[in-house]
Amino acid sequence: MKISFAKSIPAKTDILVVPVFENADFSPALQDLDAAADGAVSAAAKAQKFKGAAGKSLNLIGLPGIEAGRLLLLGAGKQSDLITDTAEKIGGRAIAATPLTAKTIAFALDGFGGVETSADEAAAHVALGARLRSYRFDKYHTLLEADKKPALEKLVIVGAPTGAKPAFAPLDKMADGVFLTRDLVSEPANILYPESFAKRCEELQELGIKVTVLGEAQMKKLGMGSLLGVGQGSIRESKLVAMEWMGGKKTDPTVAFVGKGVTFDTGGISLKPGPGMEDMKWDMGGAGAVTGAMAALAGRKAKANVVGVIGLVENMPDGNAQRPGDVVTAMSGKTIEILNTDAEGRLVLADAIWWTQEKYKPEVVIDLATLTGAIIISLAHEHAGVFTSDDDLWTQINQAGTSSKDTVWRMPLSKAHYDMIKSPIADMKNIGGREGGSSTAAAFIGNFVKEGQSWAHIDIAGMAWNKKDSPTCPKGGSGYGVRLLNDFVAQNYEG
Ligand code: BES
Ligand code: MN
Ligand code: ZN
């Protein structure tokens, strides 16, 4: 779908979308349309009691005097309340309401802006919302007839000020990153495994990202017994990928993002039950988010130094798989008693985070992981859980969560949680009890964070996959985390 900005409504628009503020006069464009249709628009709005409340819509098909086959009015709520979220939802809802056969959609946005949100921003976010909702992962549908695939080719934003186009440019790059993450998360595990995932990362070299891939031999030399133990039951070779985007000055600090990339999580010898196990193809959602964020940052040439590190393994039961009771030694030198081979993500992160600190001496480390089912019990699919003892870092992440709409909620991490994973035979065990399962998982990772290192862990298990459509995301991989990390960098590390 090609997105452009224009002064007038193109002829042959299949669908024309006009946002309407609650209890406000029609915009000049809508007044013109109403006049052209002899008052049919205002009459329909009156008959349907459509007053522009947020989320409400009025779909008018085949009006005389109006060239577009379909005129869609979307409620935008009160003008004084307009935020970018409303604008994105309007863009997304329009795409959701577009018939598969439509080729061109136009938005008439004159006068669409608010108090906190300028008309430039509002238009840019309408375009972003539309693009995000237009995502499809249908590469494996070979039997779809042509009329079952969306025909939409062109999206035109009309009537926005000239600042809208430049405001959209970086958002468009960010959407590229979100799409990459959705693609990675959607791929089945027979297609996306550590080596093929690493290859996808190498494609980012085109954007100016430096990509380094470590294999098992190198990781063994480095002493990554924790990560390697998880992958030892798989015939797929484990990989560690580092992606560097050095867009800042030499003297600028380095930000590090670390992602859990379990390309399939069977649970290992502590095998998961069968029903729903297919979901574990997206147990690489943290690594997917980090990869998409790197693509977004490089795509928009962010003026910051950022490194993304992902630990890629497949967790399988096998004659060579690790067993409950095994003791492994991590790269840091600490020993771990494996009590449940299904608590594997933390084992991957332990070595990936340690290596990242050694190699890059980052100012801040943020890890993202689909780490625990317990976080879904706590926060449902509404927020990712943030664990950190750094109050300032929490404030920054929370701010990025709000602006990006990748919502977060702070969760507890205290000495008690560290005590709950003490082992009688090793430095720690890889599970606590059922109680506080997300916090003990965070404490486990915290054992591999150096003294004085600023660090946050974000558990995205409830956020990486959408079970149903939302206004800006069709069901499937959500791309959660890309926008969060992008905004975190923009707000704190780009001057
Ligand atoms: N990948 C899972 C967590 C998960 C569950 C992600 C559901 C997304 C949806 C993780 O590796 C896991 O298995 N965690 C266990 C930990 C337990 C064994 C301590 C869990 O949450 O049950
Ligand atoms: Mn697991
Ligand atoms: Zn897992």
Side-chain angles (χ1 to χ4, degrees):
M1 184 173 70
K2 198 179 165 304
I3 299 180
S4 60
F5 294 78
K7 286 218 162 63
S8 53
I9 298 164
K12 293 206 192 127
T13 293
D14 295 305
I15 166 163
L16 176 60
V17 185
V18 190
V20 176
F21 286 120
E22 196 165 352
N23 295 325
D25 293 340
F26 280 180
S27 67
L30 194 51
Q31 286 180 25
D32 289 351
L33 289 161
D34 193 28
D38 255 340
V41 179
S42 45
K46 198 168 172 208
Q48 282 291 321
K49 297 196 170 57
F50 173 80
K51 292 179 181 143
K56 293 274 188 288
S57 63
L58 186 65
N59 197 355
L60 303 169
I61 300 168
L63 285 191
I66 293 183
E67 224 184 325
R70 183 185 292 256
L71 177 64
L72 177 64
L73 308 192
L74 290 179
K78 293 203 181 68
Q79 183 163 20
S80 54
D81 293 344
L82 181 67
I83 51 175
T84 55
D85 188 45
T86 316
E88 285 172 26
K89 284 180 173 152
I90 282 174
R93 288 205 167 102
I95 296 297
T98 300
L100 289 173
T101 51
K103 285 195 174 143
T104 309
I105 181 169
F107 290 81
L109 295 186
D110 61 317
F112 189 60
V115 182
E116 277 168 64
T117 308
S118 70
D120 290 343
E121 264 186 300
H125 282 267
V126 167
L128 172 65
R131 181 158 181 229
L132 289 173
R133 187 61 169 77
S134 74
Y135 176 81
R136 305 261 297 184
F137 187 80
D138 54 11
K139 64 196 274 198
Y140 298 119
H141 278 296
T142 67
L143 304 177
L144 269 191
E145 293 132 47
D147 63 354
K148 298 272 160 30
K149 291 200 176 194
L152 200 57
E153 288 163 5
K154 280 203 319 199
L155 182 153
V156 188
I157 301 279
V158 182
T162 52
K165 194 178 168 184
F168 177 61
L171 299 177
D172 200 23
K173 297 295 176 190
M174 194 192 58
D176 289 344
V178 172
F179 278 26
L180 172 59
T181 303
R182 288 179 182 173
D183 283 347
L184 292 167
V185 164
S186 303
E187 285 289 2
N190 61 323
I191 305 293
L192 196 81
Y193 45 90
E195 189 181 348
S196 59
F197 194 145
K199 286 239 162 65
R200 302 282 279 265
C201 296
E202 279 169 344
E203 289 170 17
L204 299 182
Q205 288 171 149
E206 268 172 41
L207 297 173
I209 294 176
K210 186 181 158 203
V211 182
T212 313
V213 181
L214 306 191
E216 288 184 355
Q218 286 154 297
M219 289 192 275
K220 202 168 171 202
K221 257 198 195 141
L222 290 162
M224 295 190 180
S226 184
L227 184 153
L228 289 170
V230 177
Q232 78 184 34
S234 169
I235 57 161
R236 312 282 194 190
E237 185 182 352
S238 301
K239 302 279 182 187
L240 187 86
V241 180
M243 293 165 273
E244 296 170 30
W245 169 252
M246 295 295 157
K249 295 198 243 12
K250 267 218 160 73
T251 50
D252 286 347
T254 300
V255 177
F257 299 134
V258 182
K260 166 181 172 180
V262 177
T263 57
F264 196 79
D265 181 14
T266 63
I269 296 300
S270 312
L271 194 63
K272 285 183 182 297
M277 202 201 273
E278 65 279 5
D279 283 353
M280 288 300 107
K281 76 171 184 180
W282 49 263
D283 206 19
M284 35 52 69
V290 168
T291 307
M294 294 309 296
L297 293 166
R300 67 172 182 78
K301 301 205 169 8
K303 290 191 172 48
N305 299 333
V306 186
V307 48
V309 175
I310 57 178
L312 301 174
V313 302
E314 186 181 51
N315 188 21
M316 299 291 271
D318 177 74
N320 192 46
Q322 74 180 348
R323 296 145 289 253
D326 283 4
V327 174
V328 297
T329 305
M331 185 186 172
S332 75
K334 287 186 180 166
T335 57
I336 304 157
E337 181 189 17
I338 309 292
L339 284 181
N340 189 322
T341 65
D342 197 12
E344 85 297 338
R346 61 199 76 183
L347 297 168
V348 173
L349 288 170
D351 281 337
I353 287 180
W354 190 262
W355 182 82
T356 302
Q357 294 170 98
E358 292 270 287
K359 177 141 171 101
Y360 296 103
K361 312 269 181 284
E363 179 166 288
V364 57
V365 177
I366 299 179
D367 78 76
L368 276 80
T370 50
L371 205 67
T372 65
I375 200 70
I376 310 177
I377 306 300
S378 299
L379 302 177
H381 301 283
E382 297 301 318
H383 310 271
V386 178
F387 302 78
T388 182
S389 48
D390 184 332
D391 292 343
D392 294 334
L393 180 56
W394 156 248
T395 304
Q396 292 174 333
I397 293 172
N398 192 28
Q399 187 195 8
T402 305
S403 65
S404 69
K405 296 103 186 163
D406 277 351
T407 48
V408 293
W409 203 268
R410 192 175 186 178
M411 296 288 290
L413 172 59
S414 66
K415 177 163 182 305
H417 300 117
Y418 285 84
D419 290 342
M420 286 157 77
I421 49 169
K422 287 201 166 137
S423 157
I425 182 173
D427 297 335
M428 72 197 84
K429 51 188 181 182
N430 78 328
I431 52 167
R434 267 166 51 79
E435 302 91 348
S438 303
S439 291
T440 50
F444 181 93
I445 300 167
N447 278 326
F448 299 91
V449 174
K450 295 187 175 184
E451 197 66 41
Q453 171 70 58
S454 173
W455 160 72
H457 156 62
I458 309 185
D459 194 335
I460 64 167
M463 306 304 285
W465 189 264
N466 276 1
K467 287 213 178 103
K468 48 185 195 320
D469 293 343
S470 80
T472 55
C473 185
K475 70 172 178 239
S478 67
Y480 181 94
V482 174
R483 302 188 64 182
L484 178 71
L485 299 181
N486 175 70
D487 282 17
F488 174 81
V489 170
Q491 287 159 12
N492 303 291
Y493 287 93
E494 289 187 78

